[in-house]
Amino acid sequence: MTLFGVEHVLPRDQETDALAGAAIREQTAQAVDALSAAVGEDPQTLYGRVLKLLNLPRLDDADDHDLREVLRELRICEQEGRRVYRARLRRVTRVDRPGGIGRLPRPRSVKGASAPGTCALCGDGYSVGELIGRPPFTEDLPYVPIGWLCWHCLVQRRQQPRRRDVLLRAFHALLAGVEGLGLNGHECAVLLHWLTEEPALATSKPWTADPLENTLVRLRTSAADANPATWLSAQTVHTIVAVLNEAPDSPSTTAQDAATLEALVQHLAEWETNPAGVRQAQYGNGWRYRERVLQLTAHPTALSERGGPFHLFQCRVNPSGQLVETE
């Protein structure tokens, strides 16, 4: 399940749409037994293959996202027989990731998609056989783990960011309630170009009310110096989103970018005005309040349906701000 109890972000087919919790675990156990009988392999050995595919010590550690993908693989293996199951129940162990400021943590599991699906972060579709993966667990965060990610979001989104990748970082940072938004030099370059490609934005109402000239200097410096992290305050992020919302259509802005921006603007307004009447005494002013507002929105967007906040990975830096390469 996603954080908000919807299933739009999962790789799925009609058979598994309604499966979750105990039901998906029961179906997975039955599928292991069926494949074991079909290929003549001991069930425990077959369970071991499944665990290696997911890169988990126990099947109890698998969530619904994992189990749906595994269930499809087991059923495909049962249909195709002995000649395929060993190859299919094997994760990709070599993952070439960018180095430097664009590096993301090593994925927990990577495999070819068993069915067409939708990335749980950016919402792009992927096809059968395209590489998808699960990010590593972040047990210190109180959020439900995000589902299967497309290859771009799993590996490339901070090395080759798109406009909506920057917007997604802003959405999840504000939803999580962190003190600000941390962007690397590549992301700063994307945001800088977006804010400066239309000169009229500098005279827009939100820019005039909260000038962004100093922010542009910081973005430009970060892009030029390939800084691992440049922090923008939450207020500055609100201003930037308001300014971008006034930008005219541009060839550099895709339909997905525009949809993400529209959803972000809507949810920022909802968090500000609380149209659903969420009780502050019950949910406070933190991320639980913002989560509840998203749950109760009268106009669900892709962002509210996917849930979050997604883990906001930041590069490690030393006290002087220099990048510390990690595996």
Side-chain angles (χ1 to χ4, degrees):
M1 299 290 285
T2 67
L3 186 63
F4 302 129
V6 294
E7 302 302 330
H8 305 303
V9 301
L10 302 175
R12 59 198 177 108
D13 55 34
Q14 292 183 347
E15 267 191 281
T16 60
D17 278 0
L19 291 176
I24 187 71
R25 292 186 180 279
E26 181 180 357
Q27 288 287 323
T28 302
Q30 291 175 0
V32 169
D33 291 339
L35 180 59
S36 173
V39 300
E41 182 165 78
D42 178 75
Q44 292 305 312
T45 303
L46 198 53
Y47 269 113
R49 295 188 188 280
V50 170
L51 293 177
K52 288 182 179 179
L53 175 66
L54 298 176
N55 198 14
L56 292 172
R58 304 176 306 158
L59 200 58
D60 288 347
D61 296 323
D63 59 20
D64 290 354
H65 303 289
D66 289 325
L67 295 177
R68 280 188 186 83
E69 183 68 16
V70 164
L71 182 57
R72 289 190 181 85
E73 289 289 2
L74 292 170
R75 288 174 173 171
I76 292 171
C77 291
E78 185 180 1
Q79 293 170 359
E80 298 189 1
R82 293 185 62 89
R83 61 187 177 86
V84 302
Y85 81 100
R86 292 187 180 182
R88 293 198 67 96
L89 298 181
R90 181 180 299 158
R91 74 178 188 275
V92 176
T93 55
R94 179 177 175 80
V95 179
D96 292 325
R97 296 171 297 149
I101 64 173
R103 171 161 288 189
L104 283 162
R106 188 178 302 280
R108 189 245 297 172
S109 179
V110 174
K111 65 180 296 299
S114 62
T118 304
C119 176
L121 181 58
C122 74
D124 280 2
Y126 52 78
S127 303
V128 175
E130 290 187 21
L131 290 180
I132 58 174
R134 299 297 306 278
F137 284 128
T138 52
E139 297 178 357
D140 56 324
L141 297 177
Y143 315 127
V144 174
I146 201 162
W148 292 89
L149 304 186
C150 69
W151 187 249
H152 172 82
C153 286
L154 194 70
V155 175
Q156 293 289 342
R157 61 189 165 83
R158 302 209 70 196
Q159 177 70 19
Q160 300 173 349
R162 307 162 299 189
R163 291 188 169 184
R164 67 181 177 276
D165 294 323
V166 176
L167 293 176
L168 287 168
R169 287 189 71 79
F171 171 73
H172 288 289
L174 295 172
L175 175 55
V178 296
E179 294 183 359
L181 170 63
L183 300 177
N184 68 23
H186 304 316
E187 294 160 336
C188 286
V190 170
L191 183 55
L192 176 67
H193 181 256
W194 200 353
L195 287 169
T196 57
E197 70 174 344
E198 174 51 62
L201 290 181
T203 60
S204 64
K205 185 175 179 179
W207 190 311
T208 302
D210 185 14
L212 294 175
E213 282 77 13
N214 288 339
T215 299
L216 295 185
V217 172
R218 296 183 63 215
L219 293 176
R220 189 172 288 109
T221 299
S222 179
D225 296 344
N227 290 340
T230 296
W231 288 90
L232 306 177
S233 71
Q235 177 56 50
T236 297
V237 176
H238 277 263
T239 300
I240 288 172
V241 171
V243 168
L244 294 177
N245 193 45
E246 299 198 6
D249 292 338
S250 163
S252 301
T253 304
T254 67
Q256 296 96 322
D257 298 333
T260 303
L261 177 60
E262 182 180 5
L264 177 53
V265 169
Q266 173 189 317
H267 294 313
L268 290 183
E270 290 171 338
W271 291 335
E272 180 69 25
T273 61
N274 191 17
V278 176
R279 293 178 58 227
Q280 297 281 336
Q282 182 176 359
Y283 292 96
N285 296 313
W287 70 271
R288 294 187 184 279
Y289 161 76
R290 291 183 284 277
E291 170 197 289
R292 186 60 175 161
V293 172
L294 287 180
Q295 288 176 311
L296 298 178
T297 179
H299 304 285
T301 70
L303 294 181
S304 58
E305 290 172 341
R306 291 175 203 154
F310 180 59
H311 176 48
L312 291 164
F313 174 77
Q314 295 290 346
C315 295
R316 289 182 58 193
V317 295
N318 61 25
S320 64
Q322 299 300 307
L323 176 69
V324 177
E325 281 279 11
T326 62
E327 283 300 315

